[in-house]
Amino acid sequence: MHAPFWLTTALLFPVLLYQGKRARRVTPRLPEASGACSGQYGEGSPAFRLLVLGESTAAGVGVESHAQGLASQLALNLHQRTGLAISWHTIGVNGIRLGDLLRKLASTELPEADAVLLSMGVNDTTGFTPRFRFRRSLKALRAATATRYSAPITLLSVPPMEKFTALPAPLRQMMGWRARQLDRVYQALAASAPADFRYLTYPTVENPALLARDGYHPSEQGYSTIAQALAEQDWGLSPR
């Protein structure tokens, strides 16, 4: 039951509304990364092809070039760990919610990939997307891509928004509470349908040096730190 969350939200609504509007007004709005949204580390035909889908983290907000972003950094770390040729491709839109991403992908030519990493949840948290709709969109995404990508979709944990220093209290705590609810949707799907989804988490990015100047998105070092942690997980690769 999530009645306590909604009751608290209702009681704090005037404060949350004010703080949310002010945060949007004073927080620097950083652009999406520029440059090629795909690349490769290593020579020859890729032994492993990585596709990252999602919101601002997939769009590379916080860095200048996609080469500094999550997909590229994860591919680089996998290449360094295995010695294999690893290709990467990223498709992301800053500010998008999961339902809108699903509609965008329906008209997008998707590349071949051996693993799909989904980085979503922040905008569905701030937009109060209902859990049932979030879950339904995840299942729809899997259904739409299952014939193209046989491996389960990797769900990257929803960031702990209670640690976002760009947000004031109590807005920060309420967003963190809601983010945990959506993250549990991820975990439940991965547990109940392991052939379709798997769940990965990573250490919280709290060090200011790992954040972009908006105090909200990872910096280049932040993306690298996240990528290093993710590369330590099992991607079905064996070193040469």
Side-chain angles (χ1 to χ4, degrees):
M1 294 294 292
H2 294 276
F5 171 80
W6 292 114
L7 177 59
T8 305
T9 299
L11 292 172
L12 293 175
F13 182 74
V15 175
L16 299 177
L17 181 63
Y18 169 78
Q19 290 186 332
K21 289 183 176 180
R22 186 177 187 280
R24 289 190 183 93
R25 187 172 66 251
V26 303
T27 302
R29 184 167 178 83
L30 303 182
E32 297 181 359
S34 60
C37 60
S38 62
Q40 179 172 317
Y41 294 99
E43 302 297 327
S45 298
F48 186 77
R49 299 161 298 181
L50 172 70
L51 172 61
V52 175
L53 304 175
E55 50 191 359
S56 58
T57 47
V61 175
V63 293
E64 294 184 2
S65 167
H66 282 298
Q68 303 166 311
L70 179 61
S72 173
Q73 291 300 310
L74 177 53
L76 174 60
N77 275 271
L78 291 174
H79 167 65
Q80 291 173 336
R81 292 175 67 87
T82 65
L84 299 172
I86 310 291
S87 68
W88 61 274
H89 195 115
T90 189
I91 300 174
V93 180
N94 189 18
I96 202 168
R97 298 189 199 179
L98 184 56
D100 294 325
L101 177 67
L102 185 61
R103 286 185 282 274
K104 172 182 172 57
L105 295 178
S107 60
T108 300
E109 184 176 353
L110 297 175
E112 295 294 328
D114 300 297
V116 177
L117 175 67
L118 182 69
S119 177
M120 289 294 301
V122 170
N123 295 300
D124 286 285
T125 295
T126 59
F128 293 99
T129 299
R131 288 177 302 130
F132 79 88
R133 188 175 300 160
F134 193 66
R135 184 184 302 106
R136 185 176 63 194
S137 294
L138 288 167
K139 291 181 176 180
L141 175 63
R142 177 55 178 169
T145 59
T147 57
R148 189 170 184 83
Y149 307 122
S150 58
I153 295 175
T154 298
L155 304 172
L156 186 60
S157 58
V158 182
M161 296 187 66
E162 71 276 7
K163 298 184 182 295
F164 282 17
T165 57
L167 300 178
L171 178 64
R172 183 169 65 248
Q173 286 75 21
M174 294 304 298
M175 291 298 96
W177 192 353
R178 186 57 177 169
R180 290 192 297 273
Q181 292 176 347
L182 295 188
D183 195 62
R184 283 194 287 270
V185 173
Y186 275 172
Q187 296 178 47
L189 276 177
S192 64
D196 294 322
F197 301 100
R198 73 167 184 153
Y199 172 83
L200 287 186
T201 188
Y202 57 92
T204 302
V205 176
E206 294 186 77
N207 185 337
L210 303 182
L211 295 174
R213 59 184 176 86
D214 62 355
Y216 200 85
H217 294 93
S219 63
E220 179 179 359
Q221 187 179 350
Y223 280 119
S224 178
T225 299
I226 294 171
Q228 289 174 28
L230 294 179
E232 294 175 357
Q233 304 296 321
D234 182 13
W235 295 88
L237 298 173
S238 299
R240 281 180 177 170

